[in-house]
């Protein structure tokens, strides 16, 4: 993940603050809203990390077959990641 957790918490807090000040949302529990926004931001920011880990696991399971066929790890990693992202309709950076 590229951003520090503390910075994500700060961004969530500032986002909620601006939304409330701008009259875009009304809440009596700004802290609870901030917490929910922070959690969703962290989930979104770690989507690619989780996808990468899943691709690694898939390739570990198929490493013998890859060795037998002579397919490069990097090539299969790229293809598997693209396929999973496409299947899940993810937009990666």
């Amino acid at each position: 993940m590229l951003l520090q957790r503390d910075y994500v918490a700060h961004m969530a807090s500032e986002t909620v603050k601006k939304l409330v000040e701008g009259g875009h949302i009304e809440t009596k529990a700004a802290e609870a809203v901030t917490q929910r926004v922070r959690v969703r931001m962290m989930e979104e920011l770690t989507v690619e990390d989780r996808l990468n880990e899943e691709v690694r696991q898939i390739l570990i399971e198929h490493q013998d077959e890859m060795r037998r066929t002579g397919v490069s790890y990097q090539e299969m990693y790229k293809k598997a990641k693209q396929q999973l992202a496409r299947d899940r309709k993810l937009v990666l950076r």
Side-chain angles (χ1 to χ4, degrees), residues 2 6 8 10 19 25 28 32 37 39 42 47-49 67 70-71 73 75 78 81 83-85 89 92:
L2 299 173
D6 292 339
V8 172
H10 173 72
L19 289 171
I25 63 171
K28 293 180 182 177
V37 169
V39 167
M42 287 300 294
V47 140
E48 189 167 5
D49 294 338
R67 261 190 232 119
V71 176
Y73 181 87
E75 183 181 324
K78 183 178 171 184
K81 184 175 177 178
Q83 184 63 46
L84 286 176
K89 296 180 172 78
L92 303 176

Side-chain angles (χ1 to χ4, degrees), residues 44-55:
E44 187 62 32
L45 290 169
T46 59
V47 140
E48 189 167 5
D49 294 338
R50 291 191 312 268
L51 182 68
N52 288 339
E53 184 57 34
E54 188 173 346
V55 170

